[in-house]
Amino acid sequence: MTVAAPTRPGVTFARVLTAEWTKVLSVHSTLWTVVGTILAAASLAFALGLFVRPGSGQSGASLIVSGYLLAQLGTLVLGVLVGTGEYSVGTFRVTFTAVPRRLPVLLAQALITVVVAFVTAVGALLASFLVTIAHRDAGGLTVDLTDAQTVRVLVGYVCFLVGVALVGLGVGALLRRPTAALVTGVLVLVVFDHLLAVNPGRVTDTIRALLPGAGARLTMDDAALTALDATTLGPQLGPWGGGVVLVLWVAGLLIAAGYRLRRHDLA
């Protein structure tokens, strides 16, 4: 009587997700990026809190989220690391031999990026809240969690940082080289935005509104948005319009990365 050899379980998305999760957590750079992002965000919020004065018109929520200027770079790096990890260490051929359909790997990386970026953003938010307590008290800034604007700013902060991480993932998965992906991400997210900001005009303001940095509107309170809209000659997107622009960038980059992954060579 012949005994059949045990069959190996097939490749499932759950197994792909577990494998990618293990890879991300096993790399020390992931932890350091998360910790560094939280510290950078809280440190900048604390430093900016030193300049708060009573009657400044600033809200307590806007001070808490003011560290987004540095935090966005941290989550961008996080996404780039996840997107280029397979290629920088040379394991991509093994991975895609085991998962020949390829796209489940990218989807798993996107889900992992969302989770890690969300934890990072919430950690940065809590740390910034704690380190700015004294500054808010001295400046008379309150944080009312029953206020719709306050909730929008705090939630928008988390959403923006998660979105930036997905932009990093998309650029990383598309370019496959950590340095090239990081430079490209910084240029699109920060450098181009600031260059256009110092050269105002209808065309430049319109282009600026269509860059992923428009998602930073999610972190602005009503006073900051009003001041921004009063000076721009481009479209006035409001907070959620900026969020839509960021989502479209994320979708476009991930679709492009998925197309390259599916249709082109891995090299």
Side-chain angles (χ1 to χ4, degrees), residues 160-257:
F160 174 63
L161 294 184
V162 172
V164 170
L166 289 173
V167 168
L169 172 67
V171 174
L174 185 61
L175 300 183
R176 301 177 180 176
R177 299 292 183 270
T179 302
L182 184 56
V183 169
T184 300
V186 171
L187 285 174
V188 173
L189 184 67
V190 180
V191 177
F192 290 163
D193 182 76
H194 285 282
L195 287 177
L196 293 171
V198 298
N199 293 281
R202 186 171 301 278
V203 174
T204 54
D205 287 352
T206 300
I207 294 174
R208 187 186 180 205
L210 299 178
L211 292 176
R217 289 171 173 265
L218 291 168
T219 69
M220 298 180 182
D221 60 16
D222 292 344
L225 285 170
T226 300
L228 177 63
D229 289 341
T231 58
T232 184
L233 297 175
Q236 299 181 4
L237 301 176
W240 302 116
V244 169
V245 171
L246 181 58
V247 168
L248 291 176
W249 271 88
V250 169
L253 287 169
L254 291 179
I255 290 172

Side-chain angles (χ1 to χ4, degrees), residues 43-53 63 131-132 135-136:
S43 297
L44 182 56
F46 177 85
L48 293 176
L50 296 173
F51 300 95
V52 171
R53 296 292 182 269
L63 176 61
V131 301
T132 57
H135 300 314
R136 296 199 311 273

Side-chain angles (χ1 to χ4, degrees), residues 8 25 46 59 82 100 119-120 151 224 227 229 261 267:
R8 296 181 61 186
L25 293 185
F46 177 85
S59 67
V82 176
V119 171
T120 304
V151 173
D229 289 341
L261 185 62

Side-chain angles (χ1 to χ4, degrees), residues 22-32 81 89:
T22 301
K23 292 175 188 176
V24 170
L25 293 185
S26 64
V27 179
H28 294 304
S29 56
T30 301
L31 176 60
W32 287 115
L81 289 175
V89 299

